[in-house]
């Protein structure tokens, strides 16, 4: 692990959950995995790992298959959701490959057993991996249909005793309206869980926000497109929105 220097940003948190969408791995493509983008995100994770932060990850599967969209097109919802879970496993394996190519030890842990490619979820074993400074990527959601990867990230973050959830998006925080469509959109510095729910700000789905609120788990929304952004924000600098009580 890289030694930190006195001038290096010191992390605010010791153990965090990083939640990113599957779409974040598409890069400029309209579908699938874009290897240079996967590598770029892996380097962001490596930079934080080198600070000594223990990192969990949950990656969505929307770049390959989204269960809700499949259901909307007539597919049976449970089947569609399981297909979405398998897409998250593919993304997790891609991220694992990129991280280990950078020398970062990584474990993919799935909520659905597939022992040939990943470990099954056992909480105490996952905690031990974190203690050994391995990046742990949780895949296959919660293992149940009708739950999003947002909810899976919040659940695993709570089980792992993470101190915060970092949600990487395409914008640098939470806005009162879409900043890509409205020039007068205003970014929140902080917003409460209840405000996020009442105003439907799109931070995460309602179940995930409620679970974070009940476990006093702050959600930090930031831009994943900003180089070095995650490391900077972990040190308390940069531009982001904090969702808390």
């Amino acid at each position: 692990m890289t030694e930190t220097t006195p001038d290096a940003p010191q992390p605010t948190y010791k153990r965090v959950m990083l939640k990113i969408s599957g779409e974040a791995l598409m890069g400029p493509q309209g579908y699938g995995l874009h290897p240079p983008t996967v590598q770029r995100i892996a380097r962001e994770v490596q930079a934080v790992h080198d600070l000594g932060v223990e990192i969990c990850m949950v990656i969505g599967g929307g770049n390959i298959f989204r269960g809700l969209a499949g259901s909307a097109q007539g597919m049976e919802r449970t089947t569609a959701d399981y297909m979405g879970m398998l897409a998250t496993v593919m993304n997790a394996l891609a991220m694992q490959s990129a991280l280990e190519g950078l020398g970062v030890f990584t474990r993919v842990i799935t909520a659905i057993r597939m022992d040939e490619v990943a470990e099954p979820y056992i909480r105490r074993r996952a905690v031990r991996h974190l203690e050994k400074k391995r990046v742990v990527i949780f895949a296959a959601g919660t293992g149940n249909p009708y739950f999003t990867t947002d909810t899976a990230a919040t659940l695993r973050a709570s089980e792992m005793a993470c101190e915060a959830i970092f949600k990487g998006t395409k914008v640098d925080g939470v806005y009162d309206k879409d900043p890509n469509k409205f020039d007068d959109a205003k970014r929140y510095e902080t917003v409460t869980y209840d405000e996020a729910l009442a105003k439907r700000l799109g931070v995460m789905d309602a179940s995930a926000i409620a679970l974070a609120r009940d476990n006093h788990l702050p959600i930090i929304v930031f831009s994943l497109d900003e180089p070095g952004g995650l490391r900077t924000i972990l040190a308390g600098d940069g531009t982001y929105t904090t969702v808390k009580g």
Side-chain angles (χ1 to χ4, degrees), residues 119-185:
E119 294 183 11
Y121 176 68
I122 299 172
R123 188 187 66 82
R124 291 173 65 90
R125 182 183 293 174
V127 170
R128 186 64 179 140
H129 286 318
L130 289 171
E131 292 171 347
K132 290 182 176 180
K133 306 304 179 184
R134 297 164 180 159
V135 173
V136 176
I137 307 175
F138 294 107
T142 66
N144 301 288
Y146 297 95
F147 289 93
T148 67
T149 50
D150 280 347
T151 300
T154 309
L155 173 63
R156 297 297 185 231
S158 300
E159 291 177 307
M160 295 298 105
C162 290
E163 297 170 334
I165 299 173
F166 283 74
K167 181 166 184 181
T169 69
K170 294 184 178 181
V171 293
D172 58 357
V174 179
Y175 286 78
D176 59 352
K177 46 189 159 184
D178 190 342
N180 295 317
K181 296 180 180 178
F182 300 95
D183 292 336
D184 61 342

Side-chain angles (χ1 to χ4, degrees), residues 85-108:
M85 292 178 211
L86 295 177
T88 71
V89 177
M90 295 172 69
N91 286 338
L93 292 173
M95 183 58 64
Q96 179 184 42
S97 177
L99 284 167
E100 295 199 335
L102 296 171
V104 179
F105 292 109
T106 309
R107 293 291 184 273
V108 173

